[in-house]
Every structure is written in C-alpha cells, then in structure tokens.
Amino acid sequence: VVFLAIFLSSGSGEILSMVAVIMSLMLSLTLFAYDTQSKWDCYATVLPVGPKELVGARYIVVGMIWTASIIIALIFRIGLTLLPNATVGTDFAEIVMESLLPALAIAVVLAIALPLMYKFGVEKGRIFLFIVCIIPSIFIQTFLPRMGSMPEISLNTLMIILAVAGVLAVPISLWLSVRIYGNKDQFA
C-alpha cells in the first residue's frame, strides 16, 4: 500500500519492479526463519533425502519466488502503460529492462545470502548479508570517485554483467550451501 502510494505520487513505474524483486528476497529469507522456528532441520534428518536434495529443493522454491516476482513486476509495468493517463514509458524493451535489472541484482544477492543463511542461521546471516552488500557499496560510493573519472556503464552492459554474475554465482552458491548443510549438526 505504501509503495503504491509512492508510485501514484511519483508516476514512476520502476519502484514497482524494485518492490517486487525485493519482496522475493525478503520471502526467501523468511523461509529460513520459519524453518528455524519450526525446527525443520531436525525433522528433515529422518527423511530419506540427503543434504543435496534438501538444499536443492530450497533453491528451487527460491527460484520460483524470484521468477514469480519478475512476472508480477512485468504485469504491473505493462498494466501501467495501459492506464489512460499513464506517465510511464510504453516501450516494451524498456519495461523488460527496468524489470529485469533489479531482478538480476537480487539473484546475485540471493546467491550470496543463501549460503550465509545456512552457515550462520537467520539472525546472524542477515547481519553478514548486510555487511557483504553494504561494504562494496560504501567503497564504490566513497573511493572510486576519488580515483578519477567513473567509467560510464550502459544498462545493457550492466544487465550482461549481472546475468553472467548470476549464472556463475548460483551454482557456486548451491555447491557451498550443500557442503555447509551437510557438515552442520542439525540438532545443535
């Protein structure tokens, strides 16, 4: 409701794309909180599946949430262009780009977040995730401008970089998560 009010006051559709994919991050991390609260890991030890299947299932659910957030963002953005007094751009390629760019960034963040959640648990994992995401941002904002002119990066180049980073990060993240979960004492 708050984000819808912000959108209606600004007329910018990009915020809806950001909100949808950030919600996918929040829902994915909330899965860990519910599993911790319900002691799912203790129950999962008696199931006839191993760490690879359990972690793989979590990654599939997170991927489904992430995909649903992209679809929701695209539906909202396309729907906004159909409004009679729409102030958002109507170029379909621009709409897809503005919806995919934050989604690709969140995919990389999720690839970092999931092993942290498995390693440190929900509470500590969120703190480490915050640190891992904030420190590079502070470095980029503080030190790179002092080193000289910042290189201009087009949105297409940024999308390619994020897509490649996501494609490389997700399998590494899955492998790390399986190793961490397999070595973890589920009854501790």
Side-chain angles (χ1 to χ4, degrees), residues 17 21 66 70 73-74 94-106 159 162:
S17 301
V21 294
W66 180 78
I70 295 170
L74 283 171
E94 180 182 321
I95 291 171
V96 170
M97 175 102 57
E98 289 174 354
S99 297
L100 282 181
L101 196 59
L104 291 171
I106 291 296
M159 267 188 75
L162 287 173

Side-chain angles (χ1 to χ4, degrees), residues 1-16 19 87:
V1 175
V2 171
F3 294 111
L4 186 59
I6 292 171
F7 161 72
L8 292 175
S9 67
S10 71
S12 173
E14 293 89 10
I15 192 165
L16 294 176
V19 169
T87 58

Side-chain angles (χ1 to χ4, degrees), residues 3-171:
F3 294 111
L4 186 59
I6 292 171
F7 161 72
L8 292 175
S9 67
S10 71
S12 173
E14 293 89 10
I15 192 165
L16 294 176
S17 301
M18 283 299 297
V19 169
V21 294
I22 288 174
M23 288 299 292
S24 74
L25 174 65
M26 292 170 54
L27 286 171
S28 300
L29 298 182
T30 302
L31 287 174
F32 279 93
Y34 281 130
D35 285 352
T36 301
Q37 183 179 6
S38 66
K39 305 220 184 307
W40 162 253
D41 291 337
C42 293
Y43 176 71
T45 58
V46 299
L47 296 175
V49 293
K52 184 189 252 183
E53 290 84 12
L54 290 170
V55 172
R58 172 69 53 89
Y59 273 73
I60 289 171
V61 170
V62 167
M64 289 168 44
I65 292 169
W66 180 78
T67 304
S69 74
I70 295 170
I71 293 169
I72 290 168
L74 283 171
I75 289 171
F76 272 118
R77 292 300 308 277
I78 292 170
L80 291 173
T81 62
L82 301 176
L83 293 176
N85 55 356
T87 58
V88 295
T90 57
D91 180 30
F92 185 73
E94 180 182 321
I95 291 171
V96 170
M97 175 102 57
E98 289 174 354
S99 297
L100 282 181
L101 196 59
L104 291 171
I106 291 296
V108 173
V109 171
L110 280 168
I112 295 167
L114 294 175
L116 290 173
M117 296 300 137
Y118 279 114
K119 178 70 176 171
F120 300 109
V122 178
E123 301 304 321
K124 290 180 185 173
R126 287 181 182 173
I127 293 169
F128 281 108
L129 178 62
F130 180 76
I131 291 169
V132 166
C133 290
I134 290 298
I135 289 177
S137 299
I138 291 172
F139 175 78
I140 289 170
Q141 293 294 322
T142 307
F143 297 112
L144 283 184
R146 293 181 186 167
M147 294 178 176
S149 64
M150 294 282 291
E152 290 293 324
I153 298 176
S154 71
L155 289 180
N156 290 335
T157 305
L158 186 57
M159 267 188 75
I160 292 169
I161 290 170
L162 287 173
V164 169
V167 166
L168 294 176
V170 170

